[in-house]
Amino acid sequence: MASFSLLSVLGSGSPRLACHSRFPVAAYQAGSVLVIWDYTRSGEESRKFVLLQPNQRCAEIFFSKDAQCILGVWLAPSGQPTLTVWRTADGAKLAEHRLSDTATGLPVWADYHSETEHLLLVHGSSVLSACVARWEARALSPQHLAHGHLGNKPAKGLVAVRLVEDGRHFALAEGLCVQFWSYAGAPGPPRQVLRVDLGKALKAFELQGRLAYLLPEAGKLQLMNFEGQREQVAATPPSARPSAVQVQSSMVCLGCEDGSLLVCRSSSPDHWNCVPCPAELCQFGYAPAVVSLTIGMNEDYTCVCFADATHGVVHIDSGRYVALRAGHVGALQGLVMAPQLRMPAALAGRLLDAERILQSKALAFLSLGAQGPDALSFFSSAGFIAWPKQGPPARGFLAVSPQPPEQSQGYGHDDMLLESFMPRGPSAPSSASPMEATTAAAFHPAASLAADGSFSGAYALLAGSVAGSLQLLEAEADDGSGGIAWRTTRVRPLSAEASDQAANNTACCHLDFSRCGYFVLSTFSSAAVEMLQFPLLTRAVMLQSAVPLASRTPGSSVEVQKAFFVWQPTLVQRNYDKNLYAVSHAETSQDVVLYEIYPLGEMYAKASKAVFQLPVVCKAAGGTITDFSAHPSQMYLVVTAALPAADTRSIVLVYDLWSGELLKSCAIFTSLLVAPLLPLRPMLCIDASGAYLFCASTPTVVAPMDVQLAIAKGLGSSTLKHVHGVAQCSDMLHTAWNSLTDTPSRVSQQTTSVVCIVDFSSGEQIYQASLDVSCLALGSPWHDPCQLLVGAPDGTISVWRPPASVTERVSSILQESQQAYSKLAKPSGLQGASPSPSTDIEDAVAWHWATMLSTKLDWKAWGEVGLHKAEPVFGAAAVPAGNGLVGRGPHSEPLPLLPLPPPRQEAFPRSSPDDDGDVVLQARKHWPQPGAAQSIPHLDPWLASPVPASAQPPAAPLRQQSLAKCVVGMLEIDPDSGLEVQEVPGGLQGLEPLPQQLKRMPGDGAVNVAFSEPQSHWQGTTLPEWRRPPEPAELLVAAPELREEFGTSSEHFQDPLPSEHLGGSFPELGKPLPRWLEQGRPSMLPGGGRDFVLAQSVLSELDSFELANPQAQAVDSPRSTAGAD
C-alpha cells in the first residue's frame, strides 16, 4: 500500500552532530528521520533521509572507520539498549542487535572509537552497568569484550564516557571526579584502575592520546595526564567563557558562550585563534552560546551546535561559515500558513517577470516554538521562525510589552485610550530589553508588496505572548542580513476581563482573522474569547468570559482553547446575511458553541445560534473534546474527542454547522500499532478541498479517567479509591498506568505518535503512519495544498506528501471547484478582469460542496465499516479499518455501539409515544430526498441555496423514480391546495387504491397520469416545467395525512397573518388562512379558478378535533382556557 513520502526536513533537532574525520559527511536525527548531510554541497541534494522506527530516539550516532556505515545506539521500547546499523550510501538498514539484556531507562551514554572499532555503552537506572564490544564490519555484528557493574549512579548523572585509544581502558567523568576502568584480558567485568577527585564540577570532558581535557562549569580549560597530574595550557581570552570542548589528533577547539570559537592546532594549546559568531545569529544584540562541537573532514571543518538550535559548519582556516541551519530547541506548538503575497496592479504591469519576484519574497509558513526551561532555551524557543519559499529563514521575537503611555489632559476618563497603543522607543527586542514567549500568531489575510516593490509592510502578523498581550508586527527587509525583520506597530495589553487572577500567567492560545480582515478573535488560557477590531485592536464584543481557576470543577477544564470565524457557503446567503459567525469552545470540554455576531447601534452583540454537544454515551465514557475545525464547505463542524473509559479511545464526530445536529461519528487510530491502554489526544487538520481529515495524536501518557479526576480534585492517585463521585476504571487500566509510572525514567518516555487519514466521503480510515508529532498543518491552496507539515517534539519540521490517491483527489476537487465557480461567476459579473483574490479559492470550494458534493454523502453508512458499506463519493483506494467497539461505563455496563448514529431531535413532544400510528411521520419517512441543483434546467445553480444536511432524514434513501422531485432551492406549488408538493399527501407515497373510474383521468394537456392496481405510485408521466399535474379535490380530502393530531407540529401554534380572504360560496371561511397554509401560494396560477374544498376540510377537521379534545389544546391556541388565565 502506498504511504507518505518525505520531501524535506527543516530545522536541526539534535544538540550534537556526528561527523567523520576524513569525509565531508555528518548525521543527526530530526524527529523520526535520520538525516545524512554532505555539508560541502548545497541544496536539497546534499541531504539524504532515513525513516526510523516508531519511537526510535538515538542517544548517540557514529560513523564507521571507512564511513560506509552509520551506527545508532538507542533504547528499545522494551528497555534494552539496541544498536542499529544503516548503510551511508542509501540509508538501507543493515543490522540490528541488542547490546544488553538488562532493561533500563534514559539516559544512556555511549562512545565509539573509529580506529580500534570498540563501542562503549553505559546505562542503568540506579546502578550503572558498562558493556564494551568490538564492531565486526564484515559480519555486521558486535563481539562482546566486557560487561559488568560500575557502582551506583551519580545523582546528576554522568558528564561523558570516553574510550582510550589503547583499546584497553575507558574513562567515566562525573561531576566531581574522573574514573578510569580497564577491560583488557579475558571477557569479564571491567576493573577500576584510577580515580581522580576534582575541586570544581565539570561541564565537558574529552580524551586525546595520554591527556584528559577538563572544562569546569566556572573556570578555565585544564589538562591532566593519566597519572592525575596537570599540564600547562595557554589561558583563554578574558572575555571568552568556554562552554564546549572537542579534541582530535593535534587540534583543540573550544566553543564559548558568546558564540565564538577558540582553535589551536596543538595538543597542548599555547595560543588561540578566534572565529567569531556568524552575523546571522547576532540579531538583537545577543549571540547564542556553543553547545557542542565536532571536528570534521581532515580537521579543516568543525560542526557547531548553538544554543538556539542552529547547526553551523565553519571552515577553520578562513573562519567562514559554509552552512547554517536554523531550528527550534523545544517542541513545536504551532504552524501558521502565510497568505498569498500579491503585487499592486500598477507595479505588475511594469515588470517582466512579476511571478518570479513574488516567489522570491513570499513566505510559506511560520513556526512557533515552545517555552524552554532555562534562560538560554527560553530565548531560542520563545520566538518564531518565518520560513520563506526561497532563501534563508528569519527568526523573530516579542519584546516585553511596554507600559501604555500617559494619558493627555482631557482624556483621563476615556478608558478606550488605554486598550491599545503604539509603542515608543525601539520596536524590536534586544539584549537590554527582555523578551516574551510567543504562544500564538496569525497573519492578516491581505498581503501585498509596497507600491515601489519593496518588502516593507508586505505582511501583517498579530502575535500573542505568554503574558496575554497582543502585538501587531509588520514585516520589513533586514538590510544587515538580507532576511526579514519584524517591527512592532501596536500593542494591546491583557484586559482584566480576560485574565485569571488566580493563575500565574494568562497566555494567548489562539488567534484568527475574519475573511474581511477587519476583526480578529483572540483566545486565552483562562477560556476567555474576545473579538477585536483591526487594526486598532479594540474590543468589539466578549464571546466567552474567563473561568477562574478556583471555580473550575473536575471535568470542566477546557482541553483546547480555540475560536475561529465561519461564513455562509454561498454568495446568495452571504449577500442576504451580513452578520459574523464564530465557533468557540464552551466553559466545559464537552461543548462547542456557534455565535452569531451582529451590529447593535455603534456596538456589537452576540447570540448563541447552535451548541455542539458530545453524545451521552461519550460523556459517560469520560469523553473530552480535544480539537475541532470547520470543514472547507462551511456546512459541517468536525470534532475530535478522547474517550478514556471506552474501548474506542479516539473518535471523530461530524455536526451540521448551522443547526448543531450530530450527523455521524467514526473511530480513528484503529491500527494495532497503537497501544490500546493509552488514550490518545487527537488533533485535527482538514485539507483545502475538504476531501480528507488528517488526525494526529499527541505523544503523551494519559492516566485513566478516575486518576485524572482525582488529580483534578487535588488528590493523589493512591487515594483515588476513596474519592466520592469519581467513576472507577477497570483494574487493567490501573495496572498499565502503575507499570508506566513506577519508574521515573519510564514516565519521560513518549508514546508513539500516529497520523491517520480519514476519507470524508465515507468516514473510513484509509491510511495510517507512525511519526513524531507535536503539531500538524496542511499547505494552503496558493502554496501547495498537498503538503503535510509535521512539527516534531525536538523542534524539527518534516514535509510529507500523502499517498498518490489522496493528492490526486485533493487536486482534482480544487480544480473542479475553480472551473465551475469561474463559469458561474463570469457571466454574472462577479469576477473582474484582475487576478482573483485568495478567498476565491475558498469560496469556490464551499460553493462546490454546497451545491454538488454534499448531496452525495450517505450519513447512514458514514463511518460504519462492514455494517453499511458506503461507496466513496470521490475516488480513493479505501483500506478498511477497524470498526468501533463496545465500551464500558462506570458500572461495567456496555455502552452503545460506536461510531454513534445521529440523534433525532424534535422541537415539540408527541402526544403519543407510538410512532407507528402517526401517519404523518410515516409518510414523511418516505418523502424523496433533495437532488442536485444542476438537475433543474431553468434554475441558475449560482442562486441555489443548499439544504442543510441536518434537514435530510438520515435513513431515507434517494428515490430516483418518483414523479415529483424535491430539488435544492426549488419551490413546486400545487395549484389546487396552494401547498408545496412535498407537503401535499398522496403525490408520492401512501395513496389508497383508486376507484375504477379514477384510474384514468384527463390531465393538463400534455400530462397523462396512469395508476397501477397494487401500487399507488405515479408512473410514465410527462410534466410541464413549472408544476406537477393537479389532483382532484376528492382525492386530496380523502388523504389520511390530513387527519393528524393537533399539537404535534409547530405549524399548529403559529398566529394567523393577514392574507387573501376566501369569501365566495363559503362565508364561514371568510377569515385569513393561517400562515402555514398560505406559505408558498402563487399570486397567479394558470388554469382558472380555485378550489376551496381542501381549505374547508382542513379547518373543519381542526375545529372538530379541538372541540372534542379540550385537554389537547395548546396554551397558545385561541380556544385554550389556560391561555386566558
Side-chain angles (χ1 to χ4, degrees), residues 635-674:
M635 299 178 61
Y636 313 105
L637 181 71
V638 185
V639 176
T640 58
L643 309 178
D647 291 340
T648 302
R649 297 293 176 177
S650 304
I651 192 172
V652 169
L653 304 102
V654 181
Y655 295 83
D656 186 276
L657 180 58
W658 303 102
S659 66
E661 179 185 356
L662 175 62
L663 300 178
K664 211 56 184 298
S665 63
C666 67
I668 54 176
F669 307 134
T670 55
S671 172
L672 297 179
L673 296 177
V674 181

Side-chain angles (χ1 to χ4, degrees), residues 108-146:
V108 294
W109 298 268
D111 188 33
Y112 176 78
H113 200 283
S114 59
E115 297 298 329
T116 61
E117 295 186 341
H118 286 187
L119 177 65
L120 170 65
L121 174 68
V122 178
H123 62 92
S125 301
S126 58
V127 178
L128 293 179
S129 299
C131 174
V132 183
R134 179 188 295 109
W135 171 248
E136 299 290 345
R138 293 185 177 180
L140 294 177
S141 63
Q143 179 184 357
H144 290 274
L145 301 179

Side-chain angles (χ1 to χ4, degrees), residues 484-495:
I484 302 173
W486 299 93
R487 179 174 57 91
T488 305
T489 59
R490 198 162 193 86
V491 177
R492 174 183 170 82
L494 177 66
S495 61

Side-chain angles (χ1 to χ4, degrees), residues 284-356:
F284 316 115
Y286 180 88
V290 176
V291 176
S292 64
L293 297 168
T294 307
I295 299 178
M297 180 183 65
N298 299 329
E299 301 180 1
D300 292 334
Y301 296 89
T302 299
C303 297
V304 187
C305 296
F306 295 92
D308 63 348
T310 299
H311 287 177
V313 179
V314 58
H315 186 257
I316 298 299
D317 295 337
S318 63
R320 185 176 63 91
Y321 279 84
V322 298
L324 284 173
R325 303 194 65 85
H328 293 278
V329 173
L332 289 178
Q333 63 176 348
L335 296 170
V336 184
M337 304 307 298
Q340 186 178 12
L341 182 63
R342 299 197 169 273
M343 184 175 293
L347 182 62
R350 302 196 303 263
L351 299 178
L352 296 178
D353 195 354
E355 188 65 26
R356 183 183 59 83

Side-chain angles (χ1 to χ4, degrees), residues 561-607:
Q561 290 87 9
K562 188 177 182 181
F564 51 85
F565 288 99
V566 294
W567 59 90
Q568 298 286 355
T570 62
L571 182 62
V572 175
Q573 294 173 321
R574 291 194 295 270
N575 290 338
Y576 175 77
D577 189 355
K578 300 293 185 180
N579 294 338
L580 297 174
Y581 295 92
V583 177
S584 170
H585 64 266
E587 294 183 358
T588 65
S589 60
Q590 297 177 339
D591 299 329
V592 178
V593 185
L594 172 64
Y595 287 103
E596 181 178 5
I597 307 169
Y598 53 90
L600 186 62
E602 297 181 354
M603 304 177 62
Y604 288 88
K606 66 174 182 178

Side-chain angles (χ1 to χ4, degrees), residues 626-785:
T626 59
D627 200 359
F628 55 93
S629 179
H631 192 264
S633 65
Q634 301 301 311
M635 299 178 61
Y636 313 105
L637 181 71
V638 185
V639 176
T640 58
L643 309 178
D647 291 340
T648 302
R649 297 293 176 177
S650 304
I651 192 172
V652 169
L653 304 102
V654 181
Y655 295 83
D656 186 276
L657 180 58
W658 303 102
S659 66
E661 179 185 356
L662 175 62
L663 300 178
K664 211 56 184 298
S665 63
C666 67
I668 54 176
F669 307 134
T670 55
S671 172
L672 297 179
L673 296 177
V674 181
L677 297 180
L678 297 179
L680 303 176
R681 287 293 183 263
M683 62 185 71
L684 177 67
C685 192
I686 309 177
D687 69 274
S689 67
Y692 299 96
L693 308 179
F694 290 77
C695 302
S697 69
T698 53
T700 180
V701 177
V702 182
M705 179 179 61
D706 49 1
V707 177
Q708 300 182 48
L709 297 180
I711 295 175
K713 289 186 175 182
L715 304 175
S717 59
S718 60
T719 60
L720 58 90
K721 293 185 178 181
H722 306 285
V723 178
H724 177 69
V726 174
Q728 299 297 316
C729 293
S730 62
D731 295 336
M732 184 179 298
L733 289 177
H734 292 292
T735 303
W737 172 253
N738 295 332
S739 64
L740 289 171
T741 56
D742 56 356
T743 305
S745 61
R746 293 191 181 185
V747 179
S748 61
Q749 298 182 22
Q750 298 174 339
T751 60
T752 303
S753 301
V754 182
V755 177
C756 71
I757 304 179
V758 178
D759 188 353
F760 189 76
S761 65
S762 60
E764 298 183 21
Q765 179 176 310
I766 58 175
Y767 295 104
Q768 181 168 304
S770 297
L771 305 172
D772 286 342
V773 181
S774 62
C775 61
L776 195 69
L778 282 164
S780 56
W782 43 86
H783 174 53
D784 190 346

